[in-house]
Amino acid sequence: MGEPPWLTPEEAAVWEKYRTLRRELQLAQDRQLARDSGLSGADYALLAPLSESPEGVLRFRELGLEVGWERSRLSHQLTRMEKRGLVTREACPGDARGAMIRLTRHGRDAIEAAAPQHVETVRRLFFDPLAPGEMRVLEGFLDRMLAALERESAAHRPNGSAGKLARPGLRPG
């Protein structure tokens, strides 16, 4: 295999800005969550899909797919959250090896209290800097990039099987 097509200086600068944006936006969100609600970004990432699921319950495997985490990371985070009373693990009906993750009342109260400030932070740091019309342009860029990632992901699944990329979310707000 030959030399890869290295990034041009302009591409390298854009890539670095993207990496900085991703890192700094995540840090700002994590700081805001910790300051205003005592939740971590990881807590919020798991509480959000649970709060949207029927009865506040998801299979362990489904929750992992939803957030795009490996089994070990998910298990460790859930253990920390269980100790704080945010979630519980339950046996999975019909699957002795499976587990169900249930949002507790305390967990629901925590995400509902955290969501308004979290959404305000996202709006202020991500959407407000955009000029009118730029959100749709950005959405188009993101759609094309996500489609490319989905094609790449499908190419690495057995038999090119269908599947979706984990969808990040802001939920519940």
Side-chain angles (χ1 to χ4, degrees):
M1 197 186 278
E3 186 81 6
W6 297 107
L7 298 179
T8 66
E10 183 181 30
E11 290 169 334
V14 170
W15 179 246
E16 185 57 32
K17 286 178 184 181
Y18 162 75
R19 292 179 62 214
T20 300
L21 172 67
R22 186 182 66 185
R23 180 186 67 238
E24 294 301 318
L25 188 57
Q26 187 63 58
L27 287 170
Q29 290 174 338
D30 290 348
R31 280 191 304 267
Q32 176 275 312
L33 282 167
R35 179 187 66 239
D36 295 340
S37 68
L39 294 175
S40 69
D43 293 335
Y44 196 93
L46 298 180
L47 291 173
L50 286 168
S51 73
E52 292 183 337
S53 67
E55 300 178 30
V57 178
L58 285 173
R59 284 183 66 114
F60 179 94
R61 179 177 57 233
E62 291 170 3
L63 183 57
L65 289 171
E66 180 75 22
V67 296
W69 290 4
E70 297 293 327
R71 183 175 180 80
S72 175
R73 178 181 182 196
L74 181 59
S75 183
H76 288 298
Q77 181 63 32
L78 287 170
T79 297
R80 288 189 289 272
M81 292 171 71
E82 278 182 291
K83 289 177 182 175
R84 293 171 34 227
L86 298 169
V87 298
T88 60
R89 291 185 214 216
E90 302 173 356
C92 182
D95 183 1
R97 296 178 304 170
M100 303 299 288
I101 308 303
R102 181 176 299 276
L103 183 64
T104 64
R105 181 74 246 166
H106 178 60
R108 184 166 299 282
D109 290 346
I111 186 103
E112 288 176 358
Q117 296 94 338
H118 183 61
V119 170
E120 189 279 326
T121 298
V122 170
R123 178 172 304 288
R124 186 180 74 256
L125 298 177
F126 191 81
F127 291 105
D128 289 353
L130 299 175
E134 287 181 330
M135 186 176 69
R136 284 187 178 46
V137 172
L138 178 59
E139 182 181 28
F141 295 154
L142 295 173
D143 285 345
R144 288 198 313 267
M145 290 177 195
L146 287 169
L149 286 166
E150 179 59 32
R151 287 189 301 274
E152 179 80 10
S153 180
H156 291 90
R157 286 192 287 268
N159 302 324
S161 62
K164 289 206 164 221
L165 296 172
R167 68 181 168 97
L170 193 51
R171 305 165 306 224

